[in-house]
Amino acid sequence: MDKRIIYADNAATTKISEKALAAMLPWYTENFGNPSSIYGRARTARRGIEAARETVAKALGAAKPNEIYFTSGGTESDDWAIKGAAALQTTKKHIVISGIEHHAISETAHSLERFGFEVTELPVDSCGLVSVESLEKAMRPDTFLVSIMLANNEIGTIQPIKELCAVAKAHGALFHTDAVQAVGHIPVNVQELGVDMLSLSSHKFHGPQGVGAMYIRSGVRIANLIDGGGQERRRRSGTENVAAIVGMATALEEQTADWSRLPKLEALRDRLIKGLLEIPYTQQTGHPTRRLPTNASVVINGIEGEGIILGLDNCGIQASSGSACTSGSLDPSHVLLGIGLEHAVAHGSLRLSFGEETTEEDIDYIIASTKQVVERLRSMSPVWDSVNNKPLK
Amino acid sequence: MLYSDKVMDHFTNPRNVGEIPDANGVGMVGNAKCGDIMQMFLKIENDVIVDVKFKTFGCGAAIATSSMATELIKGVTVEEALKLTNAAVMEALDGLPPVKVHCSVLAEQAIRAALSDYYRRQGIDPVPIVGEIKEEEEHEMEE
């Protein structure tokens, strides 16, 4: 087996597209004016931002460009949605999120508890799905915000956002979705979904790092997170990151122009999952069909996730795990525990998020390498019966 | 988090992996819930550790610390092995990230557990010599 170098951690970050990078450069070297200034060079920068805003609005199916606000990334957008909505509440104090949100949502929501807000975390089923019924049950007269992610970063499960959003609306609450993993990977249309707010992050879809956006539907009021010079129509201050904004819009346009690649990606994903499941005592995590086209995630019994990641790295494969050792605590990720896995099982988690450039040969190489690494780690494990290839207990 | 080259070397090419069928001191510490289990096999002759092997379920640091710990006690007397500290294991590996310090503690504990077993097999109460060892139980992470 010839060694290959395969980047399979696109859910963490992606390589910038050549087109996006090329589109960015003139905004550093030529059109570097501050968009808030009034001379020609600045006006050019302003036009660059507004063109990018139109592009992003169109890619998301927003009613108008003014519903797009540029931020520093997914985390800022998430923080803004939650803190901004909370800041305007006078009597309502209840927020509903799912139990498998990214920390940008869960930590932010819980940070408000010290100000008297209350947070309900909805459970998910073994595939990672939030049920409409559980949201219906969790809604209270004082619920002002529901925030449920569109697609999960670890297990790839895609939520029924349209249906969940309808429940929130029926109870008079705002609905926000963290779509950081979804935008640029599956078609996302804010009007079809009916959401009030949506967060996205550029570097997850081949744009530059350090830039993102929030869709805020016209008429939805939230308080500012960052005050200052009044950029972004007074709602998000700070000199605009023009080159990054243009790069993000270019990448998003590129990623959303044509979805004909999806069946090929799904076939690669299913081939990868099927191959990994050939390893005894391995199970898929996340939903079998309602999942991101480039996410393959499994838990492998009898090994620890970090060991696989380091072993795969030695094979030239860059992947990720939700095990305790990769999270810096004794507990595996809340997502893996949220879908009902036991600690000992969740420690063996492996997430491969491949990309458009990944080939069938790459997939087969990943499968063969993973088998090799798992076999080695299991042979070293005091809790694995290598003779019969099963757990000892 | 950054592992030293030595940690990566001991993860990739661990020394003394396996079991000793006629070991006269065997100990296992840690638990699957925390994600680290170490098992040590000692072959002791005339108070000298003539052979040592390990099996570890755990992260890169858990495997590397087990490997290094076996290297440090191979060929030494039981008395010297009892003096092995987690700090010495870490130092030999050119350090560990703070969140991985507990792996070196576990490696020290695994050796002490195997030495306790060695004493017990001879009808000697190991507690006054080795101290209390929590075998296969929850261990607290030390940072």
Side-chain angles (χ1 to χ4, degrees), chain A residues 252-278:
Chain A
L252 187 58
E253 190 173 34
E254 213 179 347
Q255 287 298 111
T256 54
D258 178 10
W259 293 106
S260 63
R261 68 182 184 279
L262 292 192
K264 184 200 140 207
L265 292 173
E266 283 164 353
L268 286 176
R269 174 196 68 195
D270 295 342
R271 184 188 183 96
L272 178 52
I273 292 173
K274 189 167 162 270
L276 294 173
L277 293 180
E278 285 167 11

PDB file of all heavy atoms in Angstrom, chain A residues 252-278:
ATOM      1  N   LEU A 252     -18.493  30.627  -1.403  1.00  0.00           N
ATOM      2  CA  LEU A 252     -19.874  30.180  -1.234  1.00  0.00           C
ATOM      3  C   LEU A 252     -20.576  30.058  -2.581  1.00  0.00           C
ATOM      4  O   LEU A 252     -21.308  29.090  -2.839  1.00  0.00           O
ATOM      5  CB  LEU A 252     -20.636  31.149  -0.316  1.00  0.00           C
ATOM      6  CG  LEU A 252     -22.053  30.718   0.073  1.00  0.00           C
ATOM      7  CD1 LEU A 252     -22.049  29.364   0.773  1.00  0.00           C
ATOM      8  CD2 LEU A 252     -22.713  31.766   0.969  1.00  0.00           C
ATOM      9  N   GLU A 253     -20.318  31.037  -3.449  1.00  0.00           N
ATOM     10  CA  GLU A 253     -20.926  30.997  -4.787  1.00  0.00           C
ATOM     11  C   GLU A 253     -20.463  29.746  -5.521  1.00  0.00           C
ATOM     12  O   GLU A 253     -21.247  29.037  -6.148  1.00  0.00           O
ATOM     13  CB  GLU A 253     -20.515  32.252  -5.557  1.00  0.00           C
ATOM     14  CG  GLU A 253     -21.261  32.443  -6.864  1.00  0.00           C
ATOM     15  CD  GLU A 253     -20.938  33.793  -7.506  1.00  0.00           C
ATOM     16  OE1 GLU A 253     -19.778  34.261  -7.358  1.00  0.00           O
ATOM     17  OE2 GLU A 253     -21.832  34.374  -8.133  1.00  0.00           O
ATOM     18  N   GLU A 254     -19.171  29.465  -5.385  1.00  0.00           N
ATOM     19  CA  GLU A 254     -18.579  28.302  -6.047  1.00  0.00           C
ATOM     20  C   GLU A 254     -19.206  26.996  -5.519  1.00  0.00           C
ATOM     21  O   GLU A 254     -19.546  26.096  -6.276  1.00  0.00           O
ATOM     22  CB  GLU A 254     -17.072  28.309  -5.730  1.00  0.00           C
ATOM     23  CG  GLU A 254     -16.173  27.779  -6.801  1.00  0.00           C
ATOM     24  CD  GLU A 254     -14.702  27.859  -6.370  1.00  0.00           C
ATOM     25  OE1 GLU A 254     -14.363  28.530  -5.361  1.00  0.00           O
ATOM     26  OE2 GLU A 254     -13.889  27.217  -7.053  1.00  0.00           O
ATOM     27  N   GLN A 255     -19.357  26.935  -4.205  1.00  0.00           N
ATOM     28  CA  GLN A 255     -19.845  25.696  -3.575  1.00  0.00           C
ATOM     29  C   GLN A 255     -21.330  25.458  -3.803  1.00  0.00           C
ATOM     30  O   GLN A 255     -21.789  24.320  -3.740  1.00  0.00           O
ATOM     31  CB  GLN A 255     -19.582  25.735  -2.062  1.00  0.00           C
ATOM     32  CG  GLN A 255     -18.141  25.560  -1.667  1.00  0.00           C
ATOM     33  CD  GLN A 255     -17.577  24.214  -2.083  1.00  0.00           C
ATOM     34  OE1 GLN A 255     -16.722  24.141  -2.959  1.00  0.00           O
ATOM     35  NE2 GLN A 255     -18.069  23.146  -1.488  1.00  0.00           N
ATOM     36  N   THR A 256     -22.082  26.541  -3.997  1.00  0.00           N
ATOM     37  CA  THR A 256     -23.536  26.381  -4.092  1.00  0.00           C
ATOM     38  C   THR A 256     -24.052  26.471  -5.521  1.00  0.00           C
ATOM     39  O   THR A 256     -25.247  26.335  -5.765  1.00  0.00           O
ATOM     40  CB  THR A 256     -24.263  27.454  -3.239  1.00  0.00           C
ATOM     41  OG1 THR A 256     -23.796  28.752  -3.639  1.00  0.00           O
ATOM     42  CG2 THR A 256     -23.977  27.268  -1.763  1.00  0.00           C
ATOM     43  N   ALA A 257     -23.137  26.713  -6.496  1.00  0.00           N
ATOM     44  CA  ALA A 257     -23.568  26.899  -7.885  1.00  0.00           C
ATOM     45  C   ALA A 257     -24.132  25.604  -8.468  1.00  0.00           C
ATOM     46  O   ALA A 257     -25.055  25.633  -9.288  1.00  0.00           O
ATOM     47  CB  ALA A 257     -22.392  27.389  -8.727  1.00  0.00           C
ATOM     48  N   ASP A 258     -23.601  24.481  -8.046  1.00  0.00           N
ATOM     49  CA  ASP A 258     -23.947  23.221  -8.702  1.00  0.00           C
ATOM     50  C   ASP A 258     -23.903  22.098  -7.659  1.00  0.00           C
ATOM     51  O   ASP A 258     -22.865  21.855  -7.051  1.00  0.00           O
ATOM     52  CB  ASP A 258     -22.906  22.976  -9.803  1.00  0.00           C
ATOM     53  CG  ASP A 258     -23.133  21.665 -10.530  1.00  0.00           C
ATOM     54  OD1 ASP A 258     -24.193  21.042 -10.314  1.00  0.00           O
ATOM     55  OD2 ASP A 258     -22.234  21.268 -11.292  1.00  0.00           O
ATOM     56  N   TRP A 259     -25.031  21.453  -7.475  1.00  0.00           N
ATOM     57  CA  TRP A 259     -25.090  20.399  -6.448  1.00  0.00           C
ATOM     58  C   TRP A 259     -24.980  19.003  -7.055  1.00  0.00           C
ATOM     59  O   TRP A 259     -25.215  18.008  -6.361  1.00  0.00           O
ATOM     60  CB  TRP A 259     -26.379  20.505  -5.639  1.00  0.00           C
ATOM     61  CG  TRP A 259     -26.440  21.741  -4.807  1.00  0.00           C
ATOM     62  CD1 TRP A 259     -27.202  22.852  -5.043  1.00  0.00           C
ATOM     63  CD2 TRP A 259     -25.698  22.022  -3.612  1.00  0.00           C
ATOM     64  NE1 TRP A 259     -26.986  23.807  -4.074  1.00  0.00           N
ATOM     65  CE2 TRP A 259     -26.069  23.317  -3.177  1.00  0.00           C
ATOM     66  CE3 TRP A 259     -24.757  21.304  -2.871  1.00  0.00           C
ATOM     67  CZ2 TRP A 259     -25.528  23.906  -2.029  1.00  0.00           C
ATOM     68  CZ3 TRP A 259     -24.222  21.890  -1.732  1.00  0.00           C
ATOM     69  CH2 TRP A 259     -24.602  23.184  -1.321  1.00  0.00           C
ATOM     70  N   SER A 260     -24.617  18.937  -8.328  1.00  0.00           N
ATOM     71  CA  SER A 260     -24.584  17.624  -8.985  1.00  0.00           C
ATOM     72  C   SER A 260     -23.517  16.715  -8.375  1.00  0.00           C
ATOM     73  O   SER A 260     -23.502  15.515  -8.611  1.00  0.00           O
ATOM     74  CB  SER A 260     -24.342  17.787 -10.487  1.00  0.00           C
ATOM     75  OG  SER A 260     -23.076  18.390 -10.697  1.00  0.00           O
ATOM     76  N   ARG A 261     -22.603  17.307  -7.539  1.00  0.00           N
ATOM     77  CA  ARG A 261     -21.566  16.486  -6.932  1.00  0.00           C
ATOM     78  C   ARG A 261     -22.081  15.624  -5.774  1.00  0.00           C
ATOM     79  O   ARG A 261     -21.412  14.690  -5.338  1.00  0.00           O
ATOM     80  CB  ARG A 261     -20.437  17.383  -6.416  1.00  0.00           C
ATOM     81  CG  ARG A 261     -20.824  18.273  -5.238  1.00  0.00           C
ATOM     82  CD  ARG A 261     -19.687  19.180  -4.807  1.00  0.00           C
ATOM     83  NE  ARG A 261     -19.973  19.978  -3.628  1.00  0.00           N
ATOM     84  CZ  ARG A 261     -20.660  21.109  -3.617  1.00  0.00           C
ATOM     85  NH1 ARG A 261     -21.167  21.574  -4.753  1.00  0.00           N
ATOM     86  NH2 ARG A 261     -20.853  21.774  -2.498  1.00  0.00           N
ATOM     87  N   LEU A 262     -23.253  15.975  -5.259  1.00  0.00           N
ATOM     88  CA  LEU A 262     -23.711  15.307  -4.037  1.00  0.00           C
ATOM     89  C   LEU A 262     -23.846  13.783  -4.142  1.00  0.00           C
ATOM     90  O   LEU A 262     -23.377  13.073  -3.244  1.00  0.00           O
ATOM     91  CB  LEU A 262     -25.011  15.929  -3.520  1.00  0.00           C
ATOM     92  CG  LEU A 262     -24.896  17.360  -2.981  1.00  0.00           C
ATOM     93  CD1 LEU A 262     -26.157  17.765  -2.238  1.00  0.00           C
ATOM     94  CD2 LEU A 262     -23.677  17.540  -2.076  1.00  0.00           C
ATOM     95  N   PRO A 263     -24.470  13.251  -5.215  1.00  0.00           N
ATOM     96  CA  PRO A 263     -24.588  11.783  -5.274  1.00  0.00           C
ATOM     97  C   PRO A 263     -23.228  11.084  -5.223  1.00  0.00           C
ATOM     98  O   PRO A 263     -23.073  10.052  -4.569  1.00  0.00           O
ATOM     99  CB  PRO A 263     -25.280  11.542  -6.617  1.00  0.00           C
ATOM    100  CG  PRO A 263     -26.009  12.809  -6.903  1.00  0.00           C
ATOM    101  CD  PRO A 263     -25.177  13.912  -6.326  1.00  0.00           C
ATOM    102  N   LYS A 264     -22.231  11.686  -5.875  1.00  0.00           N
ATOM    103  CA  LYS A 264     -20.894  11.084  -5.873  1.00  0.00           C
ATOM    104  C   LYS A 264     -20.316  11.099  -4.451  1.00  0.00           C
ATOM    105  O   LYS A 264     -19.746  10.105  -3.983  1.00  0.00           O
ATOM    106  CB  LYS A 264     -19.986  11.881  -6.826  1.00  0.00           C
ATOM    107  CG  LYS A 264     -18.600  11.286  -6.968  1.00  0.00           C
ATOM    108  CD  LYS A 264     -17.589  12.311  -7.506  1.00  0.00           C
ATOM    109  CE  LYS A 264     -16.274  12.154  -6.779  1.00  0.00           C
ATOM    110  NZ  LYS A 264     -15.463  13.347  -6.703  1.00  0.00           N
ATOM    111  N   LEU A 265     -20.503  12.230  -3.768  1.00  0.00           N
ATOM    112  CA  LEU A 265     -19.980  12.336  -2.400  1.00  0.00           C
ATOM    113  C   LEU A 265     -20.684  11.363  -1.463  1.00  0.00           C
ATOM    114  O   LEU A 265     -20.056  10.723  -0.619  1.00  0.00           O
ATOM    115  CB  LEU A 265     -20.138  13.775  -1.883  1.00  0.00           C
ATOM    116  CG  LEU A 265     -19.267  14.834  -2.573  1.00  0.00           C
ATOM    117  CD1 LEU A 265     -19.637  16.227  -2.092  1.00  0.00           C
ATOM    118  CD2 LEU A 265     -17.783  14.564  -2.327  1.00  0.00           C
ATOM    119  N   GLU A 266     -22.000  11.248  -1.646  1.00  0.00           N
ATOM    120  CA  GLU A 266     -22.755  10.325  -0.783  1.00  0.00           C
ATOM    121  C   GLU A 266     -22.329   8.883  -1.017  1.00  0.00           C
ATOM    122  O   GLU A 266     -22.256   8.086  -0.081  1.00  0.00           O
ATOM    123  CB  GLU A 266     -24.260  10.503  -1.015  1.00  0.00           C
ATOM    124  CG  GLU A 266     -24.793  11.757  -0.328  1.00  0.00           C
ATOM    125  CD  GLU A 266     -26.162  12.202  -0.816  1.00  0.00           C
ATOM    126  OE1 GLU A 266     -26.682  11.626  -1.796  1.00  0.00           O
ATOM    127  OE2 GLU A 266     -26.702  13.143  -0.212  1.00  0.00           O
ATOM    128  N   ALA A 267     -22.023   8.573  -2.285  1.00  0.00           N
ATOM    129  CA  ALA A 267     -21.566   7.214  -2.596  1.00  0.00           C
ATOM    130  C   ALA A 267     -20.209   6.953  -1.939  1.00  0.00           C
ATOM    131  O   ALA A 267     -19.970   5.877  -1.393  1.00  0.00           O
ATOM    132  CB  ALA A 267     -21.481   7.027  -4.108  1.00  0.00           C
ATOM    133  N   LEU A 268     -19.335   7.963  -1.973  1.00  0.00           N
ATOM    134  CA  LEU A 268     -18.024   7.818  -1.313  1.00  0.00           C
ATOM    135  C   LEU A 268     -18.203   7.647   0.192  1.00  0.00           C
ATOM    136  O   LEU A 268     -17.560   6.809   0.824  1.00  0.00           O
ATOM    137  CB  LEU A 268     -17.150   9.051  -1.589  1.00  0.00           C
ATOM    138  CG  LEU A 268     -16.546   9.205  -2.981  1.00  0.00           C
ATOM    139  CD1 LEU A 268     -15.801  10.532  -3.092  1.00  0.00           C
ATOM    140  CD2 LEU A 268     -15.609   8.051  -3.310  1.00  0.00           C
ATOM    141  N   ARG A 269     -19.094   8.453   0.751  1.00  0.00           N
ATOM    142  CA  ARG A 269     -19.353   8.380   2.192  1.00  0.00           C
ATOM    143  C   ARG A 269     -19.857   6.987   2.581  1.00  0.00           C
ATOM    144  O   ARG A 269     -19.371   6.378   3.529  1.00  0.00           O
ATOM    145  CB  ARG A 269     -20.418   9.422   2.572  1.00  0.00           C
ATOM    146  CG  ARG A 269     -20.873   9.350   4.025  1.00  0.00           C
ATOM    147  CD  ARG A 269     -22.169  10.116   4.220  1.00  0.00           C
ATOM    148  NE  ARG A 269     -23.287   9.473   3.537  1.00  0.00           N
ATOM    149  CZ  ARG A 269     -24.457  10.050   3.305  1.00  0.00           C
ATOM    150  NH1 ARG A 269     -24.672  11.292   3.670  1.00  0.00           N
ATOM    151  NH2 ARG A 269     -25.427   9.391   2.695  1.00  0.00           N
ATOM    152  N   ASP A 270     -20.813   6.492   1.799  1.00  0.00           N
ATOM    153  CA  ASP A 270     -21.395   5.191   2.139  1.00  0.00           C
ATOM    154  C   ASP A 270     -20.378   4.067   1.960  1.00  0.00           C
ATOM    155  O   ASP A 270     -20.379   3.096   2.718  1.00  0.00           O
ATOM    156  CB  ASP A 270     -22.666   4.959   1.319  1.00  0.00           C
ATOM    157  CG  ASP A 270     -23.756   5.969   1.693  1.00  0.00           C
ATOM    158  OD1 ASP A 270     -23.645   6.588   2.772  1.00  0.00           O
ATOM    159  OD2 ASP A 270     -24.707   6.150   0.900  1.00  0.00           O
ATOM    160  N   ARG A 271     -19.508   4.231   0.957  1.00  0.00           N
ATOM    161  CA  ARG A 271     -18.436   3.248   0.763  1.00  0.00           C
ATOM    162  C   ARG A 271     -17.488   3.252   1.967  1.00  0.00           C
ATOM    163  O   ARG A 271     -17.082   2.196   2.459  1.00  0.00           O
ATOM    164  CB  ARG A 271     -17.667   3.622  -0.514  1.00  0.00           C
ATOM    165  CG  ARG A 271     -16.572   2.646  -0.929  1.00  0.00           C
ATOM    166  CD  ARG A 271     -15.768   3.256  -2.090  1.00  0.00           C
ATOM    167  NE  ARG A 271     -14.746   2.361  -2.589  1.00  0.00           N
ATOM    168  CZ  ARG A 271     -14.892   1.553  -3.639  1.00  0.00           C
ATOM    169  NH1 ARG A 271     -16.039   1.528  -4.300  1.00  0.00           N
ATOM    170  NH2 ARG A 271     -13.905   0.777  -4.045  1.00  0.00           N
ATOM    171  N   LEU A 272     -17.196   4.460   2.436  1.00  0.00           N
ATOM    172  CA  LEU A 272     -16.294   4.601   3.588  1.00  0.00           C
ATOM    173  C   LEU A 272     -16.921   3.990   4.846  1.00  0.00           C
ATOM    174  O   LEU A 272     -16.283   3.213   5.566  1.00  0.00           O
ATOM    175  CB  LEU A 272     -15.960   6.082   3.797  1.00  0.00           C
ATOM    176  CG  LEU A 272     -15.061   6.449   4.977  1.00  0.00           C
ATOM    177  CD1 LEU A 272     -13.782   5.637   4.990  1.00  0.00           C
ATOM    178  CD2 LEU A 272     -14.733   7.950   4.947  1.00  0.00           C
ATOM    179  N   ILE A 273     -18.173   4.335   5.098  1.00  0.00           N
ATOM    180  CA  ILE A 273     -18.844   3.813   6.298  1.00  0.00           C
ATOM    181  C   ILE A 273     -18.932   2.286   6.229  1.00  0.00           C
ATOM    182  O   ILE A 273     -18.616   1.590   7.198  1.00  0.00           O
ATOM    183  CB  ILE A 273     -20.251   4.444   6.465  1.00  0.00           C
ATOM    184  CG1 ILE A 273     -20.112   5.931   6.801  1.00  0.00           C
ATOM    185  CG2 ILE A 273     -21.043   3.717   7.556  1.00  0.00           C
ATOM    186  CD1 ILE A 273     -21.405   6.716   6.820  1.00  0.00           C
ATOM    187  N   LYS A 274     -19.313   1.777   5.048  1.00  0.00           N
ATOM    188  CA  LYS A 274     -19.443   0.332   4.885  1.00  0.00           C
ATOM    189  C   LYS A 274     -18.093  -0.350   5.162  1.00  0.00           C
ATOM    190  O   LYS A 274     -18.032  -1.364   5.856  1.00  0.00           O
ATOM    191  CB  LYS A 274     -19.903   0.039   3.450  1.00  0.00           C
ATOM    192  CG  LYS A 274     -20.291  -1.398   3.202  1.00  0.00           C
ATOM    193  CD  LYS A 274     -21.037  -1.520   1.869  1.00  0.00           C
ATOM    194  CE  LYS A 274     -21.048  -2.956   1.384  1.00  0.00           C
ATOM    195  NZ  LYS A 274     -19.898  -3.300   0.520  1.00  0.00           N
ATOM    196  N   GLY A 275     -17.032   0.238   4.637  1.00  0.00           N
ATOM    197  CA  GLY A 275     -15.698  -0.330   4.831  1.00  0.00           C
ATOM    198  C   GLY A 275     -15.279  -0.323   6.291  1.00  0.00           C
ATOM    199  O   GLY A 275     -14.722  -1.292   6.801  1.00  0.00           O
ATOM    200  N   LEU A 276     -15.590   0.782   6.977  1.00  0.00           N
ATOM    201  CA  LEU A 276     -15.216   0.881   8.394  1.00  0.00           C
ATOM    202  C   LEU A 276     -16.017  -0.103   9.236  1.00  0.00           C
ATOM    203  O   LEU A 276     -15.518  -0.649  10.221  1.00  0.00           O
ATOM    204  CB  LEU A 276     -15.435   2.314   8.905  1.00  0.00           C
ATOM    205  CG  LEU A 276     -14.543   3.390   8.287  1.00  0.00           C
ATOM    206  CD1 LEU A 276     -14.980   4.777   8.751  1.00  0.00           C
ATOM    207  CD2 LEU A 276     -13.072   3.164   8.620  1.00  0.00           C
ATOM    208  N   LEU A 277     -17.263  -0.344   8.824  1.00  0.00           N
ATOM    209  CA  LEU A 277     -18.121  -1.257   9.592  1.00  0.00           C
ATOM    210  C   LEU A 277     -17.699  -2.716   9.421  1.00  0.00           C
ATOM    211  O   LEU A 277     -18.190  -3.588  10.135  1.00  0.00           O
ATOM    212  CB  LEU A 277     -19.593  -1.064   9.220  1.00  0.00           C
ATOM    213  CG  LEU A 277     -20.204   0.287   9.632  1.00  0.00           C
ATOM    214  CD1 LEU A 277     -21.668   0.378   9.222  1.00  0.00           C
ATOM    215  CD2 LEU A 277     -20.065   0.535  11.125  1.00  0.00           C
ATOM    216  N   GLU A 278     -16.785  -2.967   8.475  1.00  0.00           N
ATOM    217  CA  GLU A 278     -16.243  -4.325   8.348  1.00  0.00           C
ATOM    218  C   GLU A 278     -15.336  -4.649   9.540  1.00  0.00           C
ATOM    219  O   GLU A 278     -15.045  -5.814   9.806  1.00  0.00           O
ATOM    220  CB  GLU A 278     -15.430  -4.454   7.048  1.00  0.00           C
ATOM    221  CG  GLU A 278     -16.302  -4.553   5.800  1.00  0.00           C
ATOM    222  CD  GLU A 278     -15.502  -4.356   4.523  1.00  0.00           C
ATOM    223  OE1 GLU A 278     -14.250  -4.358   4.583  1.00  0.00           O
ATOM    224  OE2 GLU A 278     -16.141  -4.177   3.464  1.00  0.00           O
TER     225      GLU A 278
END
